[in-house]
Amino acid sequence: SVALSVLPSFGFLFDIDGVLVRGKTPIPAAKTAFQKLVNSQGQFVVPVVFVTNAGNCLRQEKADQLSQLLGVPDQVMMSHSPLRMFKRYHDKCVLVSGQGPLLDIAQDLGFGQPITIETLREKHPLLDVVDHDRRPDVLVTVILFGEPVRWETNLQLIIDVLLTSGYPGNPYHHENYPHIPVLACNMDLMWVAEAQSPRFGHGTFMVCLENIYKKITGKDLKYEALMGKPSKVTYQYAEYLIRAQAAERQWQHPIHTLYAVGDNLMTDVYGANLYNRYLEENSRQASAAAAHCRSVLVCTGVYNPHTEVPLDTRASIAETVFHGHRDFRFEPGLVEPDHIVPDVDAAVDLVFQLENFAPN
């Protein structure tokens, strides 16, 4: 028999909606799962990060909400959390688009001079190239946090900023290419509202922006970084948080495997498999990185095993409905989960078994 390990050499990346909660209701299996994952001192027995594609609220707000519903320690990562790593823009004047407490979110992430679309719109009639007191600072970056409320205003002003190299109000210059950096969070084309047909997500807004930019300039809009599942940056940052937790708890074992537990083939499974491939291809260079990222699909959210089609036809169907972003080429192999389980409790049992792990 294999000796059971009491120190974890793996970590969990949990999606939230459809895995742990539905709307504001906890999924019963989540409570059972966390009885195994949290010790009597209220600490995780393995490193855990909650990875959500939500981005229009403060991280702390989401963490508090999850803590109230499930009584778990705060380890929430939003789609915009990796922006903390983009320190080179933190002291620059950046334009932020989305909804919710945008300035608070941007400042919480380290940005010292964020300007909202609303502020820019108010200044727009006053843009005066001669009067330097009335001219806003040059904008060096555009950050797309999530779908905004007034799409036409946001699209117009973001295009203004891109085509004037950060000096909206000046004439357009098509030769300014590549344009100033654009950082985008959450590429979900649609999101499923409760008891309604799917609603346009931030990915749909980005499709509009990309197409308008291309129509005007004949060139592709380029992103300096795309954040949120299924992007590599998101999993890199999540892995960094997993390692930080292990170090803080003085768990000496190197983190070898990440288990990404989610309910969505196109974000959770695709993203985990994409990151796994990246880890395997770069295993020789990055000795500090994990060796694997395994995808575990649960059946409590958008994935329904009863409506699923056989594997051979799934790939062709998935390609036609793949709501991935323009920059993520659809690859059928990447939507095949490593494991399918009924719920998050079964996922925890499976991983403990695979890892021969028994918390002391």
Side-chain angles (χ1 to χ4, degrees):
S1 69
V2 182
L4 289 172
S5 168
V6 293
L7 282 179
S9 58
F10 63 97
F12 280 105
L13 310 180
F14 288 113
D15 178 41
I16 298 177
D17 297 302
V19 176
L20 310 177
V21 297
R22 278 194 204 91
K24 294 197 166 50
T25 313
I27 290 169
K31 298 216 166 185
T32 334
F34 287 116
Q35 283 163 5
K36 297 165 187 165
L37 286 168
V38 178
N39 66 16
S40 54
Q41 288 87 54
Q43 298 172 303
F44 284 123
V45 297
V46 299
V48 167
V49 176
F50 303 106
V51 188
T52 173
N53 265 1
N56 277 329
C57 69
L58 279 160
R59 195 201 68 79
Q60 197 56 53
E61 189 187 319
K62 193 79 176 170
D64 293 345
Q65 187 188 355
L66 197 63
S67 186
Q68 271 178 329
L69 291 174
L70 290 166
V72 290
D74 170 9
Q75 291 296 345
V76 171
M77 176 183 154
M78 310 289 285
S79 65
H80 49 59
S81 296
L83 285 167
R84 287 182 192 283
M85 298 191 292
F86 289 81
K87 290 186 164 49
R88 59 189 175 281
Y89 301 121
H90 286 182
D91 60 346
K92 305 285 197 301
C93 193
V94 300
L95 179 68
V96 295
S97 163
Q99 51 184 297
L102 282 178
L103 292 178
D104 293 343
I105 294 169
Q107 282 158 350
D108 184 52
L109 290 165
F111 293 93
Q113 300 184 65
I115 286 184
T116 63
I117 296 279
E118 284 62 42
T119 304
L120 193 63
R121 186 169 61 90
E122 286 158 18
K123 289 191 175 195
H124 228 272
L126 301 173
L127 280 179
D128 183 343
V129 182
V130 181
D131 185 345
H132 287 261
D133 293 335
R134 290 201 309 199
R135 192 168 84 192
D137 296 329
V138 59
L139 293 154
V140 299
T141 310
V142 176
I143 302 176
L144 308 175
F145 278 111
E147 63 274 14
V149 177
R150 299 171 54 143
W151 284 34
E152 74 287 358
T153 303
N154 281 259
L155 290 167
Q156 176 71 71
L157 295 187
I158 293 166
I159 291 287
D160 285 344
V161 168
L162 294 179
L163 291 180
T164 58
S165 292
Y167 289 99
N170 281 10
Y172 283 2
H173 287 295
H174 291 255
E175 59 275 14
N176 289 335
Y177 191 81
H179 49 73
I180 64 171
V182 178
L183 303 167
C185 313
N186 182 356
M187 300 157 270
D188 293 350
L189 193 75
M190 305 287 229
W191 61 279
V192 182
E194 287 174 40
Q196 284 178 349
S197 50
R199 306 289 84 199
F200 291 155
H202 190 216
T204 313
F205 176 79
M206 289 163 65
V207 167
C208 297
L209 184 66
E210 290 154 18
N211 281 289
I212 294 167
Y213 185 85
K214 180 136 192 175
K215 202 82 172 162
I216 294 174
T217 65
K219 298 185 174 79
D220 284 331
L221 180 77
K222 291 197 181 314
Y223 295 97
E224 167 126 350
L226 289 165
M227 280 153 272
K229 296 174 289 192
S231 82
K232 184 181 80 180
V233 177
T234 292
Y235 290 85
Q236 282 174 317
Y237 190 68
E239 184 181 349
Y240 157 76
L241 294 177
I242 289 278
R243 288 183 185 294
Q245 260 181 75
E248 200 179 309
R249 298 287 295 280
Q250 295 177 321
W251 288 325
Q252 304 304 332
H253 283 215
I255 298 298
H256 186 264
T257 309
L258 303 172
Y259 291 93
V261 182
D263 67 319
N264 190 321
L265 287 170
M266 301 311 172
T267 52
D268 303 310
V269 172
Y270 193 87
N273 291 346
L274 193 64
Y275 191 55
N276 183 62
R277 186 168 71 188
Y278 164 78
L279 290 175
E280 289 179 353
E281 285 172 357
N282 295 278
S283 58
R284 286 179 195 81
Q285 296 98 297
S287 54
H292 308 287
C293 181
R294 299 288 179 228
S295 52
V296 184
L297 183 67
V298 298
C299 304
T300 47
V302 296
Y303 175 78
N304 180 348
H306 305 299
T307 58
E308 279 303 300
V309 291
L311 286 184
D312 50 346
T313 52
R314 189 192 297 178
S316 58
I317 290 176
E319 186 152 17
T320 57
V321 301
F322 181 59
H323 292 329
H325 182 262
R326 177 197 74 180
D327 296 357
F328 289 84
R329 196 177 77 243
F330 176 74
E331 295 178 56
L334 294 180
V335 292
E336 288 303 324
D338 290 310
H339 306 280
I340 301 180
V341 292
D343 54 40
V344 66
D345 187 38
V348 171
D349 286 345
L350 172 76
V351 171
F352 280 14
Q353 191 187 331
L354 290 170
E355 292 287 335
N356 292 307
F357 179 74
N360 53 1

